[in-house]
Amino acid sequence: PLTGIYNVELIAFGYNGCSDTLYNNIKINQRPDPAFLLSDTIACVGDQIMVTDISTVAGDTITNSVWNFGDGTIDTNTIAMHSYSSAGIYTITLTTFSPSACDSSITKSITVIGNPNVSFSYNQICKGDTISFINSSTPAPGSSIISWNWDFGDTTGDTIMSPKHYYPNFGLFNVSLLATGNNGCFASDTQSIFINDIPVANFNLNARCSDIPINFTDASTVNGDTIQQWFWDFGDTTTSTLKNPSHQYATPGTYTIQLIVITGAGCSDTISKTFNINQTPLANFNFSQTCDGNPVPFIYLPIVFPSPVTNWLWQFGDGGTSTITNPAHIYATSGNYNVTLTVSDTINNCSSS
């Protein structure tokens, strides 16, 4: 029926022939004329779409609107924003209401396209190495990936599928990959990668003479990591994996000592140093028997020529000492005394008694 006000008449009759009449006016209201604007009929997963209610009702106003986006989401705003989390074809329904509770609905469809599934991996690297990025992205069903855009986090990038990149410095870098499909949909993956520092290998030794234990001290350093492994080559076919080993050379000579250090991240450095390992001075002396009160002459007898000795320490067994090469000592009383001679090579930090 047409809208308007109608006079409705009701006549009721009884068994006895009596009757009564009731008159009432009934208003037939106009239903809303639903309509809405849809920003996109094709969108990508995660894109924001906008719907705008432009419904009207003749001679009245719309009191409220209800949106059903077809994915279980409801909204009651006149202008609403929505995004879809998965691909598919969805029916958007708008239901509008007038003050008289009359309602009308309208539907529109939207096609939501899937984004590429973006991911990548990389090899663990050290400063100065070239890192290989492995692109394992896959397109959405029914589409293909047509472009890749890499941001290496150091103001440089690339557009090939699986690039290689050189980081000259160690540190943390945020690497992003943006993949775009032939349908215009795109997605990205960002990972924080750490470029490990290379250690600086170094070592010291406390002496340079044969026939005595020489202590080797690791002096290597590294930033942002710790050194986990040590490989020593003493240049005489012997090796060690201790951090601070001790080694004794059987014969004097020139030896090249190599140290390789490896960090927890697997970064390494090597240093080689060449040293002259000298003959350890050997203590030997002679003396002449004499009587108490007379000087006893002590004569140092070098075994190696030329002698490497730079210092002599004589201990005469009665509390007396001397630091000259060939001393004479007077004993106050007769008896037996234990005399000790310690000779030292202070240049190479070696001594013997």
Side-chain angles (χ1 to χ4, degrees), residues 163-306:
K164 295 182 178 181
H165 185 63
Y166 170 78
Y167 287 94
N169 300 311
F170 77 96
L172 188 66
F173 298 87
N174 292 319
V175 178
S176 297
L177 168 61
L178 176 69
T180 303
N182 61 344
N183 50 25
C185 297
F186 57 86
S188 64
D189 182 25
T190 299
Q191 299 182 38
S192 295
I193 67 172
F194 190 81
I195 306 302
N196 300 281
D197 191 24
I198 296 176
V200 177
N202 196 15
F203 65 90
N204 300 310
L205 63 164
N206 70 330
R208 301 181 187 183
C209 295
S210 62
D211 301 313
I212 64 168
I214 300 175
N215 296 323
F216 291 84
T217 303
D218 173 43
S220 306
T221 58
V222 64
N223 292 304
D225 205 344
T226 58
I227 295 173
Q228 302 284 326
Q229 299 179 71
W230 298 263
F231 297 93
W232 297 86
D233 184 337
F234 298 112
D236 61 352
T237 73
T238 57
T239 60
S240 176
T241 56
L242 297 176
K243 179 181 180 180
N244 297 310
S246 178
H247 181 64
Q248 182 170 312
Y249 289 93
T251 57
T254 301
Y255 296 89
T256 298
I257 302 160
Q258 183 183 81
L259 170 62
I260 302 172
V261 292
I262 303 175
T263 66
C267 302
S268 64
D269 189 33
T270 302
I271 187 172
S272 296
K273 294 183 180 182
T274 300
F275 295 98
N276 290 321
I277 301 300
N278 300 282
Q279 174 66 56
T280 298
L282 300 177
N284 188 31
F285 66 93
N286 200 353
F287 64 95
S288 300
Q289 295 281 357
T290 187
C291 302
D292 59 327
N294 294 327
V296 178
F298 292 90
I299 307 299
Y300 166 62
L301 302 177
I303 298 177
V304 178
F305 295 93

Side-chain angles (χ1 to χ4, degrees), residues 7 29 38 54 64 79 105-106 116 126 188 213 220 222 237 285 296 301 322 324 339 352:
N7 186 14
N29 296 284
L38 175 61
I54 56 172
N64 65 301
I79 300 175
S105 297
I106 187 174
C126 307
S188 64
S220 306
V222 64
T237 73
F285 66 93
V296 178
L301 302 177
S322 177
I324 65 175
V339 179
S352 68

